[in-house]
Amino acid sequence: MKLGRSDNASSLTAVLSARGNYTVFAPTNSAVKKYVSSLTGSTDVSSLTYEQAQLIAFNCVIDNGSEGAYETPDFPPSGTFTLSNLNDRLLSCHQDSTQSNSPYVINGTSTVIKENQKVSNGIVHLVNCVISPSANTVAEMIQQAPNMRIMGRLLAETGLADSLAADRDPSYENIEHEEKEPRTTFAVYRDLLIPQKRYLGFTGFVETDDVYAREWGINVTTNSEGTITNWDQVKQAILAKLEPVYGSNNVDDLKNPENPVNRFVAYHFVEGRIPYNKLVVHLSEYGYKYGADMKNPQRLTYSVDVWDYYRTVGKYHDILKVTQVPTGEHEIYLNRVSKYNDDFDGDFSEVSTIAHTPGVGLNVKISATNGQYDNNALNGFYYPIDGILLKTTEVADALGGERMRMDLSTILSEMLSNSIRGTDYHFFPKGYFAAITNESSGTKFAYLTAAWGGGTNWTDYQGDEFMAAGLFDFTLRLPPVPKSGTYEIRLGISQNPLRGMAQPYFGEDPYRLQPTGLPLDLRQPVDNNSNPQLNWQDDVADVETNVENDKNLRIQGYMKAPLYFGASDGTGASKARSLPNGKGSPVVRRIIGIQYMESGKTYYIRFKSALKKLDSQFFLDYIEYCPSNVYNGSAAENPW
């Protein structure tokens, strides 16, 4: 078995005999015979084709590179391993709580029956079933799940199953790319990896049939083959529930994107392949201690709610909020909106939460697995949810009434589909991101992460950042807003003499954007000692003084970083609002402008270099949308 078809390709045996760190999920002999029989009708391994044999071997091996091989304490309790197998697929993992010893189950079917067998160059785990990731798309896997017949049928009748089929961009792979970009391009200490593939994908949040029965009283009947026999009745009942929410446009044509059923289904799927344990990122939030290894943060003890936002598919792109709570089993919810202990001396603990009510669509819990049915598809994942998910007025009001903070890694879905986030420094060729367009030939774009940069003092939101360099000029597609209204748009920035300056532009037409605000000069220091004109003052014990200092800073178009996160030092106690280690320049938020934005529309922001320099850096970390009722409400905006 070779790692390739050329005469010079190394055999898999030779590779696994060499020095390294490999994790091998080795199936038992009986498991191999059973699997071979299902493919060829014979239990003889020699009956396999070369391609079949290669797939079996590649699927059970993970090359951990310079990192240690995975032992069971390193296994994700629910989610996927960080590294792909040799077939370039992420393997899912969960513990089977129905068995007394709660064994680990790999990819939904393969139970680990003998674990942590150490060899000279890795770890071997014996499994009772051949690991065989599905070659079906997300939509196909949902359609095959016996407990999701309603959504499976809706995907077919709306035509959205076809729109969720993309899994890779062959045009990108047909171009030969260098393996690395020199470190000197961005004045960083290591070379940057260049992605060799551009995977695409989707993640679905799907009601099981019993949820429709429980919340809407809609029951399905099926024949011996599992086909719904009362579909016309079910479809009409669903339409009756959806028309008051989405309107009555094109009610007879489910394939029309204006149709209420079509809009309902589209709201269940977001762009990007997102493993359960990466729906949110834990690293630098207040109170969280990630443990001994920043690359593999601990998942047992959390401190505060952590959230992120994802763009849905369909004509009317919308936003889904995903929140993980630190209590209980660290459950993850869709569209959870809470009040917090968010004063200056607070701890950001949850004070109250809008409870889930049938037919409203708020606070819907996500399950990591679908029981015995695999949810790890060729081009993404799907997760069962415990309530009906729809975009009601209550959802729009709740999400549109709170400040939204969105990491750029989530806005760029390819970061998720290609498992890049949090892994290493990367450089991206022009056109890699669908959300970044109109890149000039002089634009160079990179991703840096504290976990791989030794940046324990980095004060990045969620521990990572992006940089543009050169004579950059590019346009970023912004996330949609949940509710039409006036929003203050802010950027999380870090300033130092190596940075550059850019003029931002904003609008709906990416080719005709209008300037918004003054040029953004990232070279200027922020703290009052170095730049007294900016009037930045460090926090003190007196809350009223801090509030007054924040007001004075806003007059200059800046805000301190939120109390919510600090440096990537693992203490959970540092504050990005303050001077790092009492020196340097603190990170801040720059107010780009105040804009009226409509739900269902797409907006763009352009950054054009205002300097004729090839070595300047333009820093990007996160974006905030702050509605007028928050930044200009009766109560002052909280510092979190």
Side-chain angles (χ1 to χ4, degrees):
M1 184 63 57
K2 294 184 177 182
L3 297 178
R5 297 302 299 267
S6 72
D7 293 337
N8 297 325
S10 299
S11 70
L12 183 56
T13 301
V15 170
L16 295 182
S17 299
R19 294 182 61 185
N21 295 288
Y22 298 96
T23 304
V24 180
F25 297 101
T28 61
N29 288 339
S30 59
V32 173
K33 290 179 179 179
K34 181 178 179 180
Y35 185 74
V36 172
S37 176
S38 69
L39 295 178
T40 68
S42 168
T43 58
D44 188 350
V45 175
S46 64
S47 65
L48 295 170
T49 65
Y50 179 91
E51 287 75 13
Q52 289 172 329
Q54 182 186 60
L55 197 59
I56 293 172
F58 281 17
N59 277 332
C60 72
V61 179
I62 297 174
D63 182 354
N64 291 78
S66 60
E67 301 295 304
Y70 292 120
E71 298 185 66
T72 48
D74 306 316
F75 284 16
S78 292
T80 66
F81 294 93
T82 300
L83 299 173
S84 304
N85 63 16
L86 294 186
N87 192 37
D88 217 8
R89 291 288 299 273
L90 290 174
L91 297 180
S92 62
C93 175
H94 75 276
Q95 287 186 275
D96 185 359
S97 59
T98 64
Q99 298 190 43
S100 58
N101 60 341
S102 294
Y104 286 96
V105 180
I106 310 302
N107 239 59
T109 57
S110 303
T111 300
V112 176
I113 56 176
K114 193 172 184 179
E115 60 191 41
N116 301 329
Q117 303 300 296
K118 295 185 179 181
V119 294
S120 62
N121 61 349
I123 302 290
V124 176
H125 306 279
L126 195 66
V127 294
N128 66 352
C129 184
V130 171
I131 293 174
S132 179
S134 174
N136 292 323
T137 66
V138 170
E140 289 170 339
M141 292 195 79
I142 294 169
Q143 290 173 322
Q144 293 171 5
N147 62 340
M148 293 181 169
R149 299 195 189 281
I150 291 178
M151 182 57 76
R153 186 68 177 265
L154 291 176
L155 280 166
E157 297 217 1
T158 58
L160 285 165
D162 296 332
S163 3
L164 298 171
D167 71 297
R168 66 195 308 164
D169 177 8
S171 64
Y172 178 84
E173 298 174 20
N174 289 338
I175 300 172
E176 186 174 346
H177 301 283
E178 297 291 335
E179 290 188 3
K180 295 182 178 181
E181 177 73 12
R183 55 173 294 279
T184 52
T185 304
F186 296 90
V188 293
Y189 88 99
R190 62 190 297 171
D191 292 344
L192 299 95
L193 300 177
I194 299 176
Q196 301 301 300
K197 299 182 185 298
R198 184 172 179 264
Y199 290 119
L200 308 172
F202 307 92
T203 299
F205 305 99
V206 185
E207 302 91 352
T208 51
D209 294 335
D210 64 326
V211 171
Y212 288 99
R214 183 177 69 248
E215 294 206 356
W216 278 354
I218 298 175
N219 293 279
V220 296
T221 57
T222 59
N223 59 22
S224 59
E225 297 177 350
T227 303
I228 299 176
T229 56
N230 64 332
W231 177 245
D232 287 341
Q233 177 186 348
V234 169
K235 182 168 66 173
Q236 289 305 313
I238 290 174
L239 185 61
K241 294 289 187 180
L242 295 180
E243 284 189 78
V245 178
Y246 295 103
S248 303
N249 290 339
N250 303 100
V251 291
D252 295 326
D253 182 7
L254 267 63
K255 287 185 167 58
N256 191 305
E258 307 273 353
N259 176 278
V261 178
N262 195 294
R263 294 182 64 179
F264 170 73
V265 176
Y267 190 60
H268 288 68
F269 295 88
V270 300
E271 299 167 340
R273 309 180 184 187
I274 317 171
Y276 182 83
N277 54 331
K278 296 179 183 177
L279 284 166
V280 300
V281 171
H282 294 272
L283 192 71
S284 58
E285 69 266 24
Y286 173 82
Y288 174 64
K289 300 177 181 180
Y290 55 69
D293 186 0
M294 197 192 316
K295 298 176 185 176
N296 298 288
Q298 60 87 12
R299 301 182 181 92
L300 298 176
T301 304
Y302 296 139
S303 54
V304 294
D305 283 7
V306 175
W307 62 86
D308 223 321
Y309 297 85
Y310 296 96
R311 182 178 188 253
T312 63
V313 303
K315 178 180 179 180
Y316 295 101
H317 295 286
D318 220 308
I319 202 86
L320 281 181
K321 181 184 180 184
V322 177
T323 303
Q324 184 169 33
V325 298
T327 54
E329 298 296 320
H330 311 318
E331 291 88 354
I332 301 180
Y333 296 87
L334 292 170
N335 295 344
R336 183 181 179 95
V337 176
S338 305
K339 292 183 178 179
Y340 298 93
N341 180 10
D342 56 10
D343 293 331
F344 263 98
D345 56 355
D347 60 1
F348 207 70
S349 57
E350 245 181 22
V351 175
S352 64
T353 299
I354 302 176
H356 175 74
T357 302
V360 173
L362 287 166
N363 209 20
V364 178
K365 189 168 72 173
I366 306 169
S367 295
T369 69
N370 190 22
Q372 61 183 304
Y373 311 118
D374 189 15
N375 66 336
N376 183 354
L378 172 68
N379 66 339
F381 303 86
Y382 76 85
Y383 304 106
I385 54 179
D386 75 344
I388 292 177
L389 178 67
L390 66 171
K391 176 70 177 297
T392 60
T393 301
E394 291 89 342
V395 170
D397 288 343
L399 294 183
E402 65 175 6
R403 179 182 55 213
M404 300 169 60
R405 185 175 300 136
M406 299 162 284
D407 195 271
L408 196 61
S409 290
T410 308
I411 296 171
L412 305 176
S413 63
E414 290 84 358
M415 293 292 294
L416 308 167
S417 294
N418 293 274
S419 303
I420 295 173
R421 188 174 191 183
T423 59
D424 209 335
Y425 286 22
H426 278 76
F427 173 84
F428 303 99
K430 182 178 178 181
Y432 191 81
F433 296 113
I436 294 180
T437 57
N438 302 339
E439 296 171 81
S440 68
S441 59
T443 300
K444 298 183 182 297
F445 205 72
Y447 169 76
L448 311 179
T449 170
W452 290 81
T456 55
N457 288 324
W458 288 16
T459 44
D460 290 327
Y461 181 55
Q462 300 183 346
D464 55 7
E465 65 186 51
F466 288 82
M467 279 190 190
L471 296 177
F472 60 86
D473 186 357
F474 64 95
T475 299
L476 172 66
R477 185 189 68 207
L478 293 170
V481 294
K483 180 181 180 180
S484 299
T486 301
Y487 293 84
E488 191 172 76
I489 303 174
R490 307 161 179 170
L491 292 181
I493 59 175
S494 171
Q495 305 188 193
N496 69 50
L498 295 177
R499 307 291 195 223
M501 182 166 66
Q503 173 62 53
Y505 301 75
F506 177 87
E508 294 181 53
D509 186 341
Y511 299 98
R512 293 179 177 82
L513 303 176
Q514 299 301 311
T516 178
L518 298 173
L520 177 55
D521 191 347
L522 300 184
R523 300 169 299 172
Q524 299 299 317
V526 171
D527 67 284
N528 195 48
N529 294 327
S530 304
N531 190 0
Q533 293 180 345
L534 192 57
N535 206 21
W536 186 97
Q537 300 285 341
D538 205 352
D539 286 346
V540 296
D542 182 61
V543 172
E544 290 186 7
T545 300
N546 294 335
V547 172
E548 187 63 28
N549 289 339
D550 284 1
K551 289 179 180 178
N552 292 333
L553 193 60
R554 273 189 64 93
I555 295 173
Q556 308 296 320
Y558 289 87
M559 298 177 65
K560 288 185 178 180
L563 280 172
Y564 180 81
F565 71 94
S568 301
D569 56 14
T571 67
S574 58
K575 298 178 181 179
R577 281 178 60 91
S578 301
L579 288 171
N581 297 326
K583 58 184 179 179
S585 185
V587 293
V588 293
R589 289 171 280 183
R590 172 64 183 266
I591 300 170
I592 296 299
I594 297 175
Q595 303 287 345
Y596 183 81
M597 302 172 71
E598 293 184 33
S599 177
K601 287 190 175 182
T602 302
Y603 295 89
Y604 301 85
I605 191 165
R606 173 190 177 192
F607 298 102
K608 181 180 181 182
S609 177
L611 302 175
K612 299 296 183 182
K613 291 185 64 178
L614 297 177
D615 59 350
S616 63
Q617 305 170 344
F618 186 73
F619 173 97
L620 291 166
D621 187 1
Y622 60 93
I623 291 174
E624 280 186 357
Y625 289 163
C626 190
S628 58
N629 67 290
V630 174
Y631 73 81
N632 194 30
S634 56
E637 180 180 347
N638 72 72
W640 290 84

